[in-house]
Amino acid sequence: MSTPSGPEHDRPDPSLTAIMSERRQLINLAYRLLGSLAEAEDAVQETYARWYAMSRQQQDAIESPGAWLTRVAGRVCLDLLGSARARRERYVGEWVPEPLPDRTEWSGGRPGGIGADPADRVTLDESVNMAFLVVLESMTPAERVAFILHDVFRYPFPEVAEIVGRTPAACRQLASSARRRIRAAQTPATAAPAARHADIVRDFKQAWEAKDIDALIALLDPDATAISDGGGLVAARLDPVQGGEQIAHAWVEIARRAPGLTVLERTVNGQPGLVAQQDGVTVTVLAFDIADGRIRHIWAVRNPEKLRPWTAGRSEQEG
């Protein structure tokens, strides 16, 4: 992101701080649009590259640099979503959104550092929990962009229209269609309060470590689903495991095959989750969807490319 040298460019850029302060917002937006932190960072990098490709005169002519950056980032993400759909159709096994690298220990409430600037971290709220992101994957790129920009980030439809390249009325219809998808994916079940959610995940961890099939079955909804994402790079089931009993037996088998597995309580996309490590290296990140006191969905991300942020910075954290 360097600028050419010369008398004009040697002067301090008064807008530089303001421009870079938009990074967190752009990462927040791009992660929700793409479901991948790596792709979100690439999209934001491309957005800044386009800003710095302009002359100082062109930059100064832009009335609201933040709005310009958001429009460009939205368009970049829209293009990436189109190509991502094609890539995910060729993906080996199930594709699960990339879990955010938050090492907070929810059991003790101690904050965990990740070795990166906190301002660069994605704000954690319900719009980044795994269940929500999975529903977003079912949307068309235009639906996803219109819905996230309007319903999550509160951009008016005329501004959304500039990004999506459609009329405000069309964008309103896209967001409405996205909301219907979300309602269809939801059940009348009552979501667990945060404290109860944590208790259930902790009970699952203890039952898993004890290889207690009966205890696991009691924690799982009879119609629960477990999805593993190995990306074809590590061993993982290619199809979802259906049913509480089947999941319990599968997880006990995993524990038996990996006697040295260490399971840690960690925050995963803003909710209590688990991280499994082998010889100190993160090999699986688990996210849970819980309602009516039982686990309905488990997402097990094993693809090492998606787990790099969880392993990176470990030495700094320990040091």
Side-chain angles (χ1 to χ4, degrees):
M1 295 185 187
S2 60
T3 56
S5 60
E8 176 186 357
H9 295 282
D10 286 342
R11 298 197 312 269
D13 182 355
S15 67
L16 179 60
T17 300
I19 288 297
M20 295 311 295
S21 69
E22 297 290 333
R23 176 177 167 78
R24 178 176 181 173
Q25 174 82 347
L26 295 175
I27 289 287
N28 271 295
L29 173 65
Y31 175 76
R32 287 165 177 79
L33 290 177
L34 300 171
S36 164
L37 189 57
E39 291 179 3
E41 290 171 341
D42 288 343
V44 172
Q45 182 72 14
E46 172 63 20
T47 299
Y48 277 111
R50 295 186 187 186
W51 171 266
Y52 284 105
M54 295 188 296
S55 67
R56 175 70 68 82
Q57 185 177 11
Q58 290 173 316
Q59 294 171 356
D60 291 342
I62 294 174
E63 183 177 349
S64 174
W68 185 94
L69 290 168
T70 298
R71 286 196 299 272
V72 172
R75 289 169 186 157
V76 169
C77 289
L78 186 61
D79 291 341
L80 286 174
L81 278 171
S83 59
R85 286 172 72 88
R87 289 198 308 273
R88 288 166 194 174
E89 288 175 0
R90 302 189 299 269
Y91 196 79
V92 178
E94 297 285 333
W95 191 94
V96 175
E98 181 181 330
L100 293 174
D102 188 329
R103 293 184 175 81
T104 301
E105 296 183 32
W106 49 264
S107 59
R110 298 196 311 270
I114 62 171
D117 184 348
D120 289 343
R121 294 176 60 185
V122 177
T123 302
L124 297 172
D125 58 24
E126 65 177 9
S127 71
V128 289
N129 73 50
M130 194 62 74
F132 187 85
L133 292 174
V134 168
V135 177
L136 292 180
E137 287 299 315
S138 69
M139 299 178 184
T140 67
E143 280 178 337
R144 186 167 183 168
V145 173
F147 172 75
I148 291 296
L149 283 169
H150 180 266
D151 285 42
V152 177
F153 286 88
R154 304 301 180 188
Y155 282 89
F157 281 119
E159 293 184 24
V160 175
E162 290 186 38
I163 296 171
V164 180
R166 304 194 187 186
T167 65
C171 290
R172 187 175 289 106
Q173 291 180 339
L174 288 169
S176 178
S177 174
R179 287 185 214 108
R180 286 196 296 270
R181 290 180 185 267
I182 290 175
R183 285 195 296 268
Q186 294 174 335
T187 67
T190 304
R196 180 63 180 142
H197 186 118
D199 289 340
I200 293 171
V201 173
R202 180 178 295 113
D203 291 343
F204 180 91
K205 170 183 179 290
Q206 293 171 351
W208 184 21
E209 291 174 328
K211 306 178 185 64
D212 188 336
I213 289 179
D214 291 336
L216 287 171
I217 291 174
L219 291 165
L220 291 156
D221 186 283
D223 296 321
T225 301
I227 294 176
S228 297
D229 177 349
L233 301 177
V234 295
R237 286 179 177 265
L238 298 181
D239 299 313
V241 181
Q242 304 281 357
E245 289 191 26
Q246 291 81 354
I247 294 171
H249 283 279
W251 249 250
V252 167
E253 184 61 26
I254 291 171
R256 286 173 178 159
R257 291 184 179 182
L261 205 64
T262 300
V263 183
L264 307 172
E265 298 174 353
R266 293 290 185 269
T267 299
V268 179
N269 285 63
Q271 295 183 325
L274 299 174
V275 170
Q277 294 185 342
Q278 194 83 45
D279 299 324
V281 177
T282 296
V283 294
T284 307
V285 171
L286 299 168
F288 299 83
D289 179 34
I290 298 171
D292 288 343
R294 289 195 170 186
I295 298 169
R296 292 190 305 177
H297 296 96
I298 302 174
W299 294 279
V301 180
R302 303 203 68 240
N303 185 336
E305 293 183 349
K306 294 183 179 181
L307 298 181
R308 285 176 183 168
W310 289 81
T311 301
R314 188 166 61 90
S315 59
E316 293 95 327
Q317 185 179 355
E318 295 170 346

